Amino acid sequence: MRQYFDGPSFAGQDKAFMTAYLTEDPGGVHIMTTAGSTFSPHHRIVRGTEIVEALTTAIRAEDLADAFAWFEIMFTSHDDLQDRLEFIRCRTTLIHGITTPPGSIPIPTRSLNNEVAFLMFN
């Protein structure tokens, strides 16, 4: 999918995609979930994938800053955004021992970057 989005043929076009997941619970019951979306060029999901890849392969402050900026784009509700960013800051303090003042971006660590990458997919 990444190769498709990065390709020059994608520019200027809207594309529709369907995903389907089939899961089986311990009792053997199959549950199918489907989702459809239309992605326009430079859609934020593509950018999110790039950020997650950067977060999980290196420890750079700019990658964590990009993730925080991505959250600002994704969350249209100011309260939801602040709750998510505050959760990350609290985890940074409780788990990693790094105090981060409100409105600033934590110092990146491998484990913090992985947690933020995980949150981007949830």
Side-chain angles (χ1 to χ4, degrees), residues 49-69:
T49 303
E50 292 171 356
I51 294 169
V52 166
E53 183 178 14
L55 285 171
T56 57
T57 57
I59 304 171
R60 299 181 315 187
E62 57 266 21
D63 297 332
L64 201 52
D66 286 346
F68 272 59

Side-chain angles (χ1 to χ4, degrees), residues 45-110:
I45 290 176
V46 175
R47 180 70 180 130
T49 303
E50 292 171 356
I51 294 169
V52 166
E53 183 178 14
L55 285 171
T56 57
T57 57
I59 304 171
R60 299 181 315 187
E62 57 266 21
D63 297 332
L64 201 52
D66 286 346
F68 272 59
W70 183 86
F71 282 120
E72 290 176 2
I73 292 168
M74 290 300 293
F75 288 92
T76 55
S77 164
H78 180 72
D79 291 339
D80 290 343
L81 169 64
Q82 291 309 313
D83 288 348
R84 181 60 56 111
L85 297 181
E86 186 60 28
F87 175 80
I88 294 169
R89 289 187 186 99
C90 286
R91 291 282 297 170
T92 302
T93 301
L94 293 172
I95 305 299
H96 308 291
I98 302 168
T99 303
T100 305
S104 63
I105 297 170
I107 297 168
T109 65
R110 171 69 64 198

Side-chain angles (χ1 to χ4, degrees), residues 13 16-17 21-22 37-38 45 48 54 61 72 91 94 106:
Q13 301 178 25
F17 293 91
Y21 304 96
L22 181 63
S37 295
T38 300
I45 290 176
E72 290 176 2
R91 291 282 297 170
L94 293 172

